[in-house]
Amino acid sequence: MPVRPVLAAALGSAALLCVATAPASATAPADPTESVTVAATGKLADDGTVTLSGTYTCTDATGPVFISSSISQDSPTFRHGIGGTQAVCDGAVHDWQNTGKAGSEKLAPGAANVEATVLELRPSGGLPLPYFHATRKQDITLAKA
């Protein structure tokens, strides 16, 4: 079975659960030693592919961990999911990079807002529940690749 559909289904399920379990502060990490950063510039290819990047640090994971990212330009309430990368929670600083297309709406070079989240699917009673290691919202510049 291909990994991508399974990963997409798992992240989609976690996203539904996140609506009800999101932390009160969207920028505060669960542990002060954990963090995620977003690079000040994202890349926009001619075909609409967006590349976002940054760094992260996390510890004590018992389930699979992912770095998810989303971008918005004109509407602060409408975000485009841009890829997802598996994370390693060993306490070290790691680079992350996500690539994807924004869907039917075109993004343009210029100001944008990115949200990056380090999310673990932590086993709990047979169900994987979302656990937020770190999240960050940041204004960036989207530049031609």
Side-chain angles (χ1 to χ4, degrees):
M1 174 180 269
V3 173
R4 214 171 258 242
V6 172
L7 177 60
L11 288 174
S13 298
L16 290 174
L17 290 171
C18 293
V19 172
T21 61
S25 171
T27 58
D31 179 328
T33 63
E34 299 182 318
S35 66
V36 62
T37 68
V38 177
T41 302
K43 297 177 187 173
L44 177 63
D46 289 336
D47 70 353
T49 299
V50 175
T51 302
L52 303 171
S53 61
T55 63
Y56 71 92
T57 303
C58 58
T59 59
D60 299 328
T62 57
V65 181
F66 303 94
I67 309 293
S68 65
S69 58
S70 63
I71 190 168
S72 66
Q73 271 192 322
D74 297 328
S75 171
T77 59
F78 185 76
R79 304 191 73 79
H80 303 278
I82 305 296
T85 305
Q86 194 159 9
V88 176
C89 287
D90 60 3
V93 176
H94 297 278
D95 293 329
W96 65 268
Q97 179 175 303
N98 290 343
T99 301
K101 290 190 178 182
S104 61
E105 186 177 322
K106 293 261 185 184
L107 295 174
N113 182 271
V114 170
E115 182 172 3
T117 303
V118 181
L119 174 73
E120 177 182 355
L121 297 176
R122 187 170 278 184
S124 175
L127 289 174
L129 295 178
Y131 177 83
F132 295 90
H133 286 271
T135 186
R136 180 177 186 99
K137 286 185 181 179
Q138 181 171 322
D139 292 330
I140 69 159
T141 300
L142 196 54
K144 283 280 192 182

